[in-house]
Each structure stands twice: as C-alpha cells, then as structure tokens.
Amino acid sequence: MNKITKENLYERREMKTRRKMYSIFNCSSCKKIVSIETHPHFFLVAEHLTGPIESSGRYCSTDCVFNHLDSLNINIDRIIEEHNELMDKIDSH
C-alpha cells in the first residue's frame, strides 16, 4: 500500500457545462458562488475519510475542503501520520 498526503483527502473534478448540476453552485464552506467562468475545477472530500453523508458538499478550493474537515474535528495531520506509520510497519515485514 502507498503512503498518503493531503492531496489524497480530496478529489478534484473539472467543471462541465454539459452537466447542469456542476455548472453553478455555492461552495459548501465559504458560500461563494462557483461557476465554470470563475473556477475550472471544484473539489470533493474523499468519501473514505468522512463517509458519504458528510462529504456530499462541493468546494471551491482545497482551503475550503480543509476548513470543512476542520469543522468536523477531523485531525488531518494525525490521520496522515497514523496511516503512513502503518504503511511503514507493513513494508518492514
């Protein structure tokens, strides 16, 4: 298995005009209006981190993703550290 970084905690998706649901929305964290004209991409929290219900929001930036995780009292640094320590133990056997 691989070690993880902060980039593994979210998913980056391209804004698409063909899908009406992705063409314009309010960021779930900062409430900024996000459209294809203002943002070529949007971000989702990785489902394995919070579960499908908690991660249903769409975010305008990685800062908003991390603000959301912080509001859920998810210690990102601890999760990454514990996962990577476990991977080191597995690799050493």
Side-chain angles (χ1 to χ4, degrees):
M1 293 193 108
N2 297 326
K3 291 185 177 185
I4 62 172
T5 64
K6 285 188 175 185
E7 287 75 29
N8 298 107
L9 304 180
Y10 60 85
E11 184 179 334
R12 179 179 151 177
R13 292 208 182 152
E14 185 177 330
M15 293 285 280
K16 296 182 180 183
T17 57
R18 290 178 291 159
R19 296 183 185 166
K20 185 174 175 106
M21 67 180 281
Y22 292 143
S23 62
I24 190 167
F25 63 91
N26 288 343
C27 175
S28 297
S29 180
C30 71
K31 307 302 180 205
K32 182 192 298 187
I33 296 174
V34 179
S35 70
I36 197 160
E37 290 84 23
T38 61
H39 296 79
H41 300 92
F42 67 95
F43 301 87
L44 302 169
V45 175
E47 188 174 303
H48 66 273
L49 189 61
T50 62
I53 295 172
E54 297 279 354
S55 63
S56 60
R58 292 177 285 168
Y59 304 91
C60 65
S61 68
T62 56
D63 288 340
C64 284
V65 168
F66 294 128
N67 287 340
H68 172 67
L69 293 174
D70 191 43
S71 75
L72 296 174
N73 295 321
I74 296 175
N75 187 332
I76 298 165
D77 295 327
R78 192 193 78 209
I79 289 171
I80 293 170
E81 181 181 333
E82 287 177 0
H83 174 84
N84 291 341
E85 284 176 4
L86 181 61
M87 293 302 103
D88 286 341
K89 287 179 184 178
I90 290 172
D91 288 343
S92 68
H93 285 104

